[in-house]
Amino acid sequence: MIYSFRNSGFRDPETGVYNQTYFMEVFNREWHRHIREHQSLALLYLCPHIHETVKQPHLLEFFTKQVQEALLRATDMIARLDHNHFALGLFNIDEEGAEVVLKRIEQQISDFNQNFGKNHKLTIDYKLAACICLPTQENKIESLFSNVSQLSQDLEKNHDQSQALIRLQ
């Protein structure tokens, strides 16, 4: 038997992206490194809306692979938080860079909907909440997660907007 990293303990078995535990460990480590090096980072929550009647066993895996293609840097990461939410960590990035990544993700999802949707008669709607900050001893990591979570909830209520980026002060 050949060992596969895809099936190891730090990956989500359904999608192949990192799991929540591993993401939180890495994000916490990066938070403290960014404090020392005075670099900014961003946390994104991606919430794809896939109706439960869609019976495509690998749909979520295909979707996350498409989103991963928007993350061009090896240091950026995506993880599954729960059934409907993914977290993305963008490290050593400024607001302009975060906006570029948001546009790339939007384009990748659009491409996915166009390519996959034409064969399976479906489209995936999504919400993408992002918060960028410069970690300091005064800024707490919990406030970053709280702000992104709140922004994500606000986006869920707003049907006209699919993504937003804020700066944590």
Side-chain angles (χ1 to χ4, degrees), residues 80-97:
R80 188 172 191 182
L81 296 179
D82 59 33
H83 185 67
N84 296 320
H85 296 88
F86 293 86
L88 292 87
L90 309 177
F91 305 110
N92 192 16
I93 194 164
D94 59 11
E95 196 164 339
E96 187 177 309

Side-chain angles (χ1 to χ4, degrees), residues 13-72:
E14 187 178 0
T15 61
V17 300
Y18 294 114
N19 63 29
Q20 180 179 6
T21 303
Y22 183 76
F23 179 83
M24 293 303 202
E25 288 174 10
V26 170
F27 200 90
N28 186 54
R29 187 172 54 240
E30 288 296 316
W31 177 269
H32 292 287
R33 184 178 69 80
H34 282 64
I35 289 174
R36 288 190 309 273
E37 297 180 7
H38 305 289
Q39 298 172 332
S40 57
L41 53 73
L43 174 66
L44 291 70
Y45 277 4
L46 174 61
C47 307
H49 299 129
I50 300 172
H51 198 273
E52 60 273 356
T53 59
V54 176
K55 301 293 185 220
Q56 296 293 329
H58 298 289
L59 178 64
L60 207 49
E61 182 180 10
F62 296 145
F63 178 79
T64 55
K65 281 189 188 310
Q66 196 78 21
V67 171
Q68 276 184 301
E69 289 181 17
L71 304 178
L72 301 179

Side-chain angles (χ1 to χ4, degrees), residues 94-147:
D94 59 11
E95 196 164 339
E96 187 177 309
E99 287 175 1
V100 168
V101 173
L102 288 173
K103 286 183 177 120
R104 283 200 312 256
I105 292 171
E106 181 179 40
Q107 183 60 51
Q108 289 296 104
I109 293 173
S110 176
D111 292 349
F112 176 85
N113 280 332
Q114 186 176 15
N115 296 334
F116 195 83
K118 69 181 175 187
N119 296 330
H120 298 88
K121 306 287 189 268
L122 71 102
T123 58
I124 295 179
D125 187 27
Y126 70 96
K127 300 295 181 180
L128 182 60
C131 185
I132 188 166
C133 77
L134 178 63
T136 63
Q137 296 297 339
E138 293 77 36
N139 278 344
K140 300 296 180 208
I141 194 169
E142 294 83 8
S143 63
L144 176 63
F145 280 87
S146 176
N147 275 284

